[in-house]
Amino acid sequence: MSLTGQLRYHFMKDIGAPALMGLQNITKKKRIRKPDPLFAPPLECTARLKEIMTRHYYLARFVPGAKPVAWVTSGAPVELLRSFGFYTIYPENHGSLVGAKKQGANMCAIAEGAGYSPDLCSYARIDLAHTLSGKTPAGRLPKPDILFAANNICQTIVYWFKAIAHHYDIPLILLDTPFNYSAINDGDIKYMVAQLQEMIPVLEQAAKKKFNYAEFQEIIGRARDTSLAWSDVLATMKNRPAPMTIFETFFHLAPIVSLRGLPVTYDYYQILLEELQQRVRQGIGAVTNERKRLMWDNIAIWYKVRDHSVQFAEQGMNFVTATYTNAWAETTVYMDVNNPFESMAKTYSLVILNNNLDYRLRLMERLIKEYQVDGLVIHSARSCKPYSVGQYDIKRKLRERLGIPAVVIDGDITDARAYSEEQTRTRLEAFFETMGD
Amino acid sequence: MPNDYFAGIDVGSLSTEAVIVDSNKHLLSYSIVNTGINSSAAAEEALSEALQKAELPRNRIAKIIATGYGRAAVGAAHKRMTEITCHAAGAQQLFPEVRTVIDIGGQDSKVIHIGQDGQLVDFAMNDKCAAGTGRFLEIMAKRLEVKLEKLGDLALLAEKAVSISNTCTVFAESEVVSLVAQNHPIDEIIRGLHVAIVNRIWNQVQTVGVHGQVALTGGVALNRGVVNLLEEKLEQTLEIYSEPQIVGALGAAILASK
Ligand SMILES: Nc1ncnc2c1ncn2[C@@H]1O[C@H](COP(=O)(O)OP(=O)(O)OP(=O)(O)O)[C@@H](O)[C@H]1O
Ligand code: SF4
Ligand SMILES: [Mg+2]
């Protein structure tokens, strides 16, 4: 780490970025939004969210030379990295940004041009496209010093990150989380704990910093508190009407995915929670006419979030829960400051995508009951095989057990070429007809 | 009452149908025209033809419901509903015992589960690709230089089926070309194509499940090869209306009369 690099980074962090954000806020205030009769006014917190995420991506440019950089998967035990002071970049979060900017198909085409299959997850294609071409609508991502991954979400990530590791000639640190065909066993936990402990000397070398157990414990504590705050945020949607829509949570999710374990994230969810609780007290619903309550399954269709939120709100339907947003709250309870390694193994191994279908079914059943869900929308995502497999069986089982109507829409998380506007419209309208007027 | 007639118009990807019923839900007339490039013109043409057959002036129609892919283009419609609901309503009217409806049209196939009181319980549709739809069979008929109307019968005459590994229409087409080049009998290739399409539809049927009696609607119900192979899978006979293409429009007309 060079001294000039450090100076530049700290200058940007303390003076440059805040000045820039201030400037953005001033220009933004000039734009007056017309109130939308379908929705409550936007959450005040949204401005803060944008600020946090823009700052994170903006500062990332000045990080090389100042801090070690890690590219991390959404399900990796990042708490361990935090104690070494890594600046973390989440390619999946970057992929979702590119998708929301409707640039997914263009980026994917670059990776396909380089020989990657169109059947490969589009987050992977976008990241590989960025790595190969340097292009991204998100500005510029800093070159990684190490890669940090866990295969608790899929196996794709292993091969994708191997390709990146090969490209930059950097180490890939991988946590192998055995799939839970049934309940987790002691052998699995020991295996994961051993891996986590083996990572420490590698990380010490990459970060040129000694491991500090007390600091690590503090981070685990903060990560747990943050996840609990996120759980509380989601739980406000149990109220009728729900103070937020799941489409909004898809964006408010960004800090817990990519800035987990940092104080800024904990603070953010405190103010978000406060604003939502205020809405609940005042009886304000995010969708003004909340007639029916829905659950979303799978990752968002990033380029369609806005369209879908309007289309459903017009029907008086609000999404109040999703297996996807719940993933960052579901295993929080396992985190334990006094037993950090074992608890981390459980936290990261027991997530939805590393679990059997029966687990998923029970989870969805519980969410449907707790959130008083009337219908289920299932996104079958071409990218994400582990998430999309078994959805038809789950749909059938949930109908048999709870009599809940459901619809499957075929699409993709970011690659709009896998989405058919007309066909989706027909399916959704038929679903609305099933749900009755 | 002067205005006691109702119309349903189904603007599909290939064909457009109009059906007129009276307030007792009795079918008065119907028409089938090609959709062509202009959906709203096709809807107008179908409606005029049906009115003519029923010997009714336009102003006697109290309500029109449009359905099908081109439903948005039907300016005269008072309401628009999806084919799912309309095919279910049409099949229910024709066969009250039916609880499962399979509609195979030009670009879509769908399976619909109807509940005890006639309400929509569940449905499944094909994904974006044309495999498992009428279009697939049309393209293959053209490629094999066989009349579409003859395709199903040829499939039934074949002693065995050549296995077709691709369900993607484009790949299947080139597979057929090479099978012909390898001198496989045409009727066996045709049977293979029918087996492929029926397997594809069967997957869809299974996601919804088979409930009670089953009706087959849409133009592909005119293909005896598909009907036969599907009945073998179902282990029961299919309920098929003599004009299977108009079931969606009939359902729309019935719903308009309510
Ligand atoms: N006489 C016939 N014999 C055999 N098959 C036929 C015949 N007429 C039509 N078909 C089949 O029916 C298909 C068209 O069905 P239909 O008219 O129900 O489609 P559509 O309603 O226009 O399409 P969609 O519902 O998918 O939008 C054709 O692709 C063809 O395979
Ligand atoms: S979207 Fe699915 S396949 Fe892609 S990285 Fe995430 S878990 Fe893996
Ligand atoms: Mg049709």
Side-chain angles (χ1 to χ4, degrees):
Chain A
M1 308 298 121
S2 74
L3 184 63
T4 44
Q6 299 245 9
L7 283 174
R8 197 180 48 182
Y9 172 76
H10 284 289
F11 173 77
M12 288 318 296
K13 179 170 173 272
D14 300 333
I15 299 162
L20 183 91
M21 299 302 141
L23 215 69
Q24 277 200 341
N25 278 343
I26 293 165
T27 46
K28 208 171 289 139
K29 273 182 194 126
K30 287 188 195 138
R31 252 196 6 213
I32 300 165
R33 270 182 203 248
K34 257 208 309 214
D36 186 336
L38 289 175
F39 302 102
L43 289 162
E44 305 254 333
C45 274
T46 310
R48 175 71 185 130
L49 172 72
K50 280 191 186 148
E51 195 178 290
I52 293 171
M53 294 314 295
T54 313
R55 183 186 148 97
H56 175 63
Y57 277 100
Y58 177 73
L59 268 186
R61 303 174 186 202
F62 304 97
V63 162
K67 276 172 158 247
V69 176
W71 283 13
V72 187
T73 67
S74 62
V78 70
E79 292 77 11
L80 194 57
L81 278 193
R82 294 271 179 245
S83 67
F84 291 98
F86 280 92
Y87 201 90
T88 53
I89 291 293
Y90 280 73
E92 291 154 84
N93 177 246
H94 169 245
S96 69
L97 268 171
V98 171
K101 286 180 189 279
K102 302 192 196 290
Q103 295 300 313
N106 294 342
M107 293 287 285
C108 285
I110 296 175
E112 287 159 28
Y116 288 98
S117 162
D119 289 326
L120 180 64
C121 167
S122 64
Y123 280 169
R125 275 177 288 155
I126 288 171
D127 190 42
L128 289 161
H130 161 259
T131 302
L132 296 172
S133 70
K135 284 186 200 152
T136 159
R140 198 166 0 125
L141 301 184
K143 182 184 159 307
D145 299 303
I146 60 153
L147 301 174
F148 194 60
N151 59 0
N152 52 358
I153 50 170
C154 63
Q155 291 302 317
T156 299
I157 213 117
V158 177
Y159 300 97
W160 155 17
F161 270 49
K162 271 188 183 173
I164 304 282
H166 180 78
H167 179 87
Y168 288 118
D169 191 19
I170 50 171
L172 162 61
I173 300 167
L174 175 74
L175 173 67
D176 179 32
T177 55
F179 189 82
N180 296 301
Y181 291 97
S182 54
I184 192 165
N185 63 49
D186 287 345
D188 288 346
I189 294 175
K190 275 198 193 121
Y191 170 60
M192 285 181 278
V193 167
Q195 292 179 66
L196 289 168
Q197 284 169 342
E198 268 178 18
M199 288 173 189
I200 291 173
V202 185
L203 292 171
E204 281 179 330
Q205 212 197 350
K208 313 239 174 336
K209 186 174 181 246
K210 275 271 161 223
F211 179 60
N212 180 332
Y213 188 74
E215 207 180 324
F216 174 51
Q217 277 181 309
E218 194 186 313
I219 290 161
I220 288 278
R222 199 183 303 123
R224 179 189 159 93
D225 292 345
T226 311
S227 268
L228 289 172
W230 176 247
S231 300
D232 291 342
V233 162
L234 295 179
T236 61
M237 290 196 281
K238 289 180 185 169
N239 291 285
R240 264 177 200 272
M244 179 155 69
T245 80
I246 220 65
F247 295 118
E248 290 169 282
T249 60
F250 288 161
F251 294 104
H252 291 277
L253 182 69
I256 194 145
V257 175
S258 49
L259 302 171
R260 197 164 61 249
L262 296 176
V264 64
T265 305
Y266 175 77
D267 295 344
Y268 177 67
Y269 290 122
Q270 297 303 319
I271 60 161
L272 175 60
L273 183 61
E274 219 163 277
E275 191 179 350
L276 292 169
Q277 284 168 342
Q278 173 79 7
R279 277 196 170 185
V280 171
R281 280 194 295 273
Q282 296 173 337
I284 299 174
V287 168
T288 38
N289 166 31
E290 184 190 292
R291 222 167 39 81
K292 298 266 165 143
R293 297 160 63 86
L294 305 179
M295 170 156 88
W296 178 273
D297 186 46
N298 212 328
I299 302 170
I301 304 179
W302 291 109
Y303 45 92
K304 280 283 153 196
V305 169
R306 174 75 201 157
D307 291 357
H308 284 155
S309 73
V310 171
Q311 206 177 351
F312 284 93
E314 279 172 352
Q315 301 293 325
M317 295 183 183
N318 188 19
F319 283 91
V320 294
T321 182
T323 52
Y324 174 52
T325 46
N326 185 64
W328 282 267
E330 69 183 315
T331 58
T332 323
V333 285
Y334 298 112
M335 289 219 201
D336 179 0
V337 175
N338 298 316
N339 206 355
F341 288 104
E342 273 192 21
S343 71
M344 239 190 342
K346 277 194 196 158
T347 301
Y348 285 101
S349 163
L350 290 169
V351 292
I352 183 167
L353 291 182
N354 202 43
N355 247 311
N356 55 74
L357 277 186
D358 194 47
Y359 169 90
R360 212 195 286 190
L361 186 65
R362 278 184 282 121
L363 170 74
M364 288 171 83
E365 246 180 311
R366 180 171 65 75
L367 291 176
I368 288 168
K369 286 180 186 153
E370 284 181 6
Y371 286 81
Q372 303 166 58
V373 168
D374 305 305
L376 168 64
V377 177
I378 297 171
H379 167 209
S380 172
R382 207 184 153 82
S383 273
C384 194
K385 285 82 181 168
Y387 218 142
S388 305
V389 79
Q391 285 178 316
Y392 280 96
D393 291 319
I394 286 180
K395 174 181 172 224
R396 187 169 39 82
K397 285 270 180 214
L398 288 174
R399 201 193 50 243
E400 283 166 11
R401 292 189 190 179
L402 305 174
I404 192 135
V407 64
V408 178
I409 52 180
D410 287 293
D412 187 59
I413 52 183
T414 74
D415 187 348
R417 295 170 300 178
Y419 182 86
S420 159
E421 194 71 57
E422 260 319 307
Q423 221 171 34
T424 310
R425 175 170 310 135
T426 298
R427 288 184 202 198
L428 291 181
E429 285 179 8
F431 175 66
F432 299 150
E433 288 163 7
T434 329
M435 299 275 294
D437 299 292
Chain B
M1 280 221 279
N3 288 336
D4 41 10
Y5 297 98
F6 305 90
I9 306 177
D10 177 359
V11 185
S13 58
L14 290 172
S15 67
T16 295
E17 296 82 15
V19 166
I20 297 176
V21 299
D22 63 18
S23 50
N24 294 321
K25 299 175 186 163
H26 286 138
L27 187 139
L28 258 71
S29 69
Y30 68 86
S31 63
I32 305 175
V33 304
N34 280 331
T35 303
I37 193 80
N38 186 341
S39 312
S40 60
E44 271 305 315
E45 187 191 338
L47 181 61
S48 311
E49 202 181 309
L51 285 166
Q52 216 168 13
K53 285 185 185 165
E55 297 179 355
L56 282 175
R58 178 75 170 254
N59 60 14
R60 296 292 301 279
I61 304 292
K63 191 174 177 189
I64 301 176
I65 290 186
T67 186
Y69 263 91
R71 63 187 176 281
V74 184
H78 298 95
K79 196 175 172 185
R80 294 173 177 85
M81 299 196 81
T82 64
E83 296 135 274
I84 318 270
T85 301
C86 292
H87 276 271
Q92 276 266 290
Q93 173 73 11
L94 297 165
F95 312 106
E97 297 298 304
V98 157
R99 289 285 167 272
T100 309
V101 181
I102 305 171
D103 168 46
I104 314 174
Q107 85 176 18
D108 265 352
S109 51
K110 25 189 137 26
V111 182
I112 309 160
H113 173 195
I114 306 171
Q116 288 304 325
D117 333 312
Q119 84 283 14
L120 215 64
V121 177
D122 192 16
F123 64 90
M125 281 173 79
N126 63 310
D127 55 27
K128 233 176 33 166
C129 99
T133 69
R135 192 84 199 147
F136 177 85
L137 292 173
E138 273 184 63
I139 289 169
M140 300 308 156
K142 209 175 217 166
R143 175 51 83 184
L144 292 164
E145 296 172 355
V146 171
K147 277 212 167 71
L148 178 67
E149 297 75 32
K150 293 263 156 57
L151 203 65
D153 294 337
L154 285 173
L156 291 179
L157 286 176
E159 277 173 12
K160 58 181 186 357
V162 176
S163 133
I164 308 280
S165 49
N166 287 294
T167 47
C168 160
T169 311
V170 177
F171 289 164
E173 193 177 353
S174 47
E175 193 175 345
V176 162
V177 172
S178 65
L179 288 170
V180 173
Q182 291 161 27
N183 286 325
H184 284 280
I186 299 286
D187 58 343
E188 291 179 10
I189 298 174
I190 292 176
R191 191 174 173 94
L193 289 166
H194 281 71
V195 168
I197 186 175
V198 167
N199 283 342
R200 184 87 182 199
I201 286 158
W202 186 241
N203 288 342
Q204 234 172 291
V205 171
Q206 281 175 313
T207 67
V208 171
V210 179
H211 306 271
Q213 284 183 22
V214 187
L216 183 63
T217 65
V220 175
L222 294 167
N223 178 313
R224 292 210 302 138
V226 171
V227 172
N228 249 283
L229 291 169
L230 201 53
E231 286 181 335
E232 263 173 39
K233 289 256 184 207
L234 280 165
E235 296 175 357
Q236 61 169 290
T237 35
L238 286 162
E239 301 285 1
I240 300 171
Y241 183 56
S242 53
E243 284 286 9
Q245 276 165 301
I246 72 162
V247 179
L250 173 67
I254 300 286
L255 292 167
S257 77
K258 280 186 182 158

